[in-house]
Amino acid sequence: DQQVKQNSPSLSVQEGRISILNCDYTNSMFDYFLWYKKYPAEGPTFLISISSIKDKNEDGRFTVFLNKSAKHLSLHIVPSQPGDSAVYFCAASSLKMDSSYKLIFGSGTRLLVRP
Amino acid sequence: NAGVTQTPKFQVLKTGQSMTLQCAQDMNHEYMSWYRQDPGMGLRLIHYSVGAGITDQGEVPNGYNVSRSTTEDFPLRLLSAAPSQTSVYFCASREAYEQYFGPGTRLTVT
């Protein structure tokens, strides 16, 4: 049973518009969430994170929102650029459950930003 | 800093062959891990290590061995390759929550 789910395998948006990538989780013990970005033939790179004590974290064009009651987080990219085209992975962790900070990853969403 | 390096980048094995995927990091991170990425499955943890001499199993450890004799190196051994082990393998090291990934090894088992 997947604890972290990204139900949209792909998303296509026009350059300049907003991209919204969604992630749902089932374990209420998760207390830290991260987004990773992956280009073809490269390893994933860290993008942005949020602690469960916050509901929003912003870094430039990227904002992550956390809704703990719904066990849902989303990544907003505004404005979207063609260079944002990549696979985005959501990941979750719980220091309460596991002191080794293990990350549980979702299956990824492939974002295509059309020029 | 080179970060996390992995060799080889590509490998083709026949069923039953063994091999070692190499991973090294120069960030002095205690925690290292191995993941495999398969279509529609995301990144699944194979084995991890919280320091030299300490390793533990992740979500999908069967068919793989690891050892951690130094802080820098964390090799992954396939004992007897099977077609089900065809995948892209990523090594990572981390400090607290943020993981730094290597470029990956694409392995095909025929």
Side-chain angles (χ1 to χ4, degrees), chain A residues 31 36 43 100-103, chain B residues 31 45 48 94 97 99 102:
Chain A
D31 55 19
Y36 281 81
S100 70
Y101 294 88
K102 276 207 290 288
L103 293 183
Chain B
Y31 187 101
L45 183 64
Y48 67 98
R94 70 166 167 72
Y97 288 108
Q99 300 216 46

Side-chain angles (χ1 to χ4, degrees), chain A residues 53-102:
Chain A
I53 62 173
K54 295 186 173 183
D55 54 19
K56 176 183 173 181
N57 189 26
E58 195 170 349
D59 183 1
R61 296 184 298 113
F62 303 91
T63 303
V64 55
F65 294 93
L66 176 62
N67 182 334
K68 288 187 289 293
S69 60
K71 295 192 182 69
H72 177 82
L73 64 155
S74 60
L75 174 68
H76 292 212
I77 307 174
V78 184
S80 302
Q81 299 173 353
D84 296 328
S85 297
V87 177
Y88 290 79
F89 291 100
C90 168
S93 185
S94 170
L95 192 56
K96 291 193 286 291
M97 277 196 313
D98 185 342
S99 60
S100 70
Y101 294 88
K102 276 207 290 288

Side-chain angles (χ1 to χ4, degrees), chain B residues 15-33:
Chain B
T15 297
Q17 286 185 315
S18 63
M19 80 158 294
T20 300
L21 280 64
Q22 301 292 344
C23 174
Q25 54 98 4
D26 60 1
M27 296 173 282
N28 204 33
H29 290 161
E30 292 295 327
Y31 187 101
M32 295 185 74
S33 50

